Amino acid sequence: MFAWLQPRPKEKHAMGNVSWLRAAVLGANDGILSVSGLLIGVSSAEVSQRNIALTGVSGLIAGALSMAAGEYVSVSSQADLETADLDLERQEMEQHWDEEVIELTNVYIKRGLDRELARTVATKLMEHDALEAHARDELGINMYSIAKPLQASLSSAGAFSTGAILPLITALLSPIEHVTFILTFSTLFFLAFLGIVGAQIGGANRMRAIFRVTVLGVIAMAVTSLVGKFFETPT
């Protein structure tokens, strides 16, 4: 009774997961492929178990630090640009308030509002929080999710390490004469599982996600295996 009075449940959109999902999948995928590629390359050259272990551990540490450093620099640059734009916008509002109202009004007109309504909306939003309104609607910056370099750096390193540890453990537990074979198929399994997880969280097609990551994985492993064969240690 009176069910029509009940609020409709809020929709759950996949776009809410896009930022962290992209970083997590990218890091884990990079970790799996990078370390697996290294291990398949050296195992194809018929090196010792000790060399395989050393290569895997070195690849994991180097890759995690590289991801952390790269992400920190990248996100720091993004944060600097966002801060500079916000500072400029703050200065413009202090010196040219009316012009900024007109600027925001034109943004809403381009989005489909008539001029009178657009000016009313712009005025009201600027009275509430002028910088937030311009940041969101003019610059496309979300004031509540400004880039955080340290957080991004640690997340990328953690995601890479999580992915990289899987082929490393697999290689260490496999018989030396079957490392390449076992690594190849286990890596495809890890990539397929990662594709399923990413598709599930992001609401995407599972088969398309699996196909995408496994095909690219096969290509990467084939290339590194050929390189290893080229430098195969003579018996």
Side-chain angles (χ1 to χ4, degrees), residues 5-62:
L5 292 175
Q6 300 299 319
R8 190 164 61 91
K10 185 174 176 60
E11 305 97 327
K12 294 182 179 180
H13 295 288
M15 282 301 294
N17 301 322
V18 69
S19 296
W20 69 265
L21 178 60
R22 175 187 172 278
V25 171
L26 175 63
N29 186 81
D30 198 13
I32 293 172
L33 271 181
S34 296
V35 173
S36 181
L38 282 171
L39 294 174
I40 289 175
V42 296
S43 64
S44 297
E46 298 186 5
V47 297
S48 66
Q49 186 82 26
R50 181 177 180 276
N51 287 333
I52 291 176
L54 180 60
T55 299
V57 172
S58 299
L60 189 155
I61 295 173

Side-chain angles (χ1 to χ4, degrees), residues 202-223:
N205 183 280
R206 292 186 181 183
M207 293 308 298
R208 187 182 298 120
I210 293 172
F211 179 80
R212 198 161 46 213
V213 296
T214 53
V215 168
L216 293 175
V218 167
I219 294 172
M221 288 185 291
V223 172

Side-chain angles (χ1 to χ4, degrees), residues 18 55 65 76 91 98 100 104 108 171 177 180 188 193 208:
V18 69
T55 299
L65 292 177
S76 292
Q91 180 181 343
D98 292 339
E100 290 299 304
L104 196 58
Y108 297 137
E177 64 273 15
T180 301
L188 291 177
F193 181 74
R208 187 182 298 120

Side-chain angles (χ1 to χ4, degrees), residues 1 9 43 55 58 67 72-73 86 99 121 128 143 155 178 187 191 193 199 201 203 205 213 219 226 229-230 233:
M1 188 176 181
S43 64
T55 299
S58 299
M67 288 286 288
Y72 186 87
V73 171
L86 291 175
E99 287 83 349
V121 172
H128 174 70
M143 296 283 288
S155 298
H178 300 307
T187 298
L191 290 173
F193 181 74
I201 297 173
N205 183 280
V213 296
I219 294 172
L226 289 173
K229 286 292 184 183
F230 182 76
T233 304

